[in-house]
């Protein structure tokens, strides 16, 4: 192989291999990126997606070191009349590669963005957290989630981790104001 001007020998081969791998990875995976961390029996906090998703484990939520994984998703469809927001992901808990249900509730806090609010027609109330029900293959509103409009977060408590998403349910609807001319004439 000959090197092209400006590139070191072997760079073309490495770049070619990376390009081929990238095409294969994109065509076979629906995960944008994955992150993981470990939590022990004493509890603690893990953050994913640059701090936009955080999990707070109380002491005893797990009995042994548990691997917690965050996978950003791209292959799901939002419920009719809604749109996915800035966070669509799956959380999983495993011990030695076996999926685990946690012994106590874990607080999951998800941040939403100004773009999510705009997509929801400007209403924080129309930015909501949905949970995916794999048995019924449907996204369902987490009616028990608590919204913090000051910090733009939604918090839920779960013992079983799974797929979650920020979903906007409103739509930006233009406001039309009808102005009538004032009546003129007598007093």
């Amino acid at each position: 192989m000959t090197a092209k001007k400006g590139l070191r020998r072997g760079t073309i081969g490495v770049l070619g291999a990376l390009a081929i791998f990238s095409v294969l990875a994109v065509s076979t995976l629906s995960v944008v990126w994955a992150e993981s961390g470990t939590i022990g029996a004493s509890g603690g906090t893990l953050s994913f997606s640059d701090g936009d998703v955080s999990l707070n484990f109380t002491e005893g939520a797990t009995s042994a070191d548990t691997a917690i994984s965050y996978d950003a998703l791209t292959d799901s469809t939002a419920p009719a009349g809604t749109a996915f927001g800035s966070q669509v992901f799956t959380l999983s808990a495993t011990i030695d590669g076996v999926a685990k249900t946690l012994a106590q509730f874990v607080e999951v806090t998800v941040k939403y963005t100004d773009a999510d609010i705009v997509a929801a027609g400007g209403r924080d109330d129309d930015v909501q957290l949905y949970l995916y029900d794999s048995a019924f293959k449907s996204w369902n509103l987490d009616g028990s989630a608590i919204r913090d409009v000051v910090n733009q977060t939604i918090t839920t408590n779960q013992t079983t981790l799974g797929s979650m998403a920020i979903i906007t349910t409103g739509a930006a609807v233009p406001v039309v104001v009808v102005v009538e001319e004032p009546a003129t004439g007598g007093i």
Side-chain angles (χ1 to χ4, degrees):
M1 174 169 53
T2 62
K4 297 211 176 206
K5 186 176 181 180
L7 294 176
R8 296 178 122 185
R9 256 176 235 226
T11 304
I12 295 171
V14 171
L15 290 176
L18 286 174
I20 290 170
F21 177 74
S22 296
V23 169
L24 290 174
V26 169
S27 65
T28 58
L29 298 177
S30 60
V31 174
V32 175
W33 74 85
E35 300 176 51
S36 63
T38 302
I39 201 76
S42 61
T45 300
L46 291 175
S47 293
F48 301 106
S49 185
D50 294 327
D52 289 345
V53 176
S54 63
L55 290 82
N56 186 19
F57 296 82
T58 58
E59 184 175 350
T62 181
S63 59
D65 283 354
T66 304
I68 307 298
S69 297
Y70 166 96
D71 297 304
L73 301 176
T74 61
D75 69 343
S76 192
T77 304
T82 67
F84 281 131
S86 57
Q87 289 292 331
V88 183
F89 59 93
T90 296
L91 295 170
S92 59
T94 58
I95 297 177
D96 296 326
V98 178
K100 294 294 178 185
T101 297
L102 301 162
Q104 295 180 22
F105 284 103
V106 172
E107 184 179 85
V108 180
T109 301
V110 183
K111 289 184 181 179
Y112 58 94
T113 65
D114 290 336
D116 293 329
I117 297 169
V118 169
R123 293 180 38 92
D124 282 271
D125 288 344
D126 289 337
V127 177
Q128 300 174 340
L129 183 66
Y130 276 60
L131 307 175
Y132 187 74
D133 184 333
S134 57
F136 290 100
K137 300 190 185 319
S138 66
W139 287 98
N140 299 305
L141 173 65
D142 183 350
S144 65
I146 299 170
R147 176 183 328 282
D148 176 348
V149 295
V150 172
N151 295 309
Q152 292 182 317
T153 62
I154 301 176
T155 302
T156 184
N157 289 290
Q158 303 292 318
T159 56
T160 304
L161 302 177
S163 296
M164 301 178 189
I166 293 292
I167 293 183
T168 58
T169 58
V173 178
V175 177
V176 178
V177 178
V178 177
V179 179
E180 294 183 23
E181 289 188 35
T184 59
I187 296 181

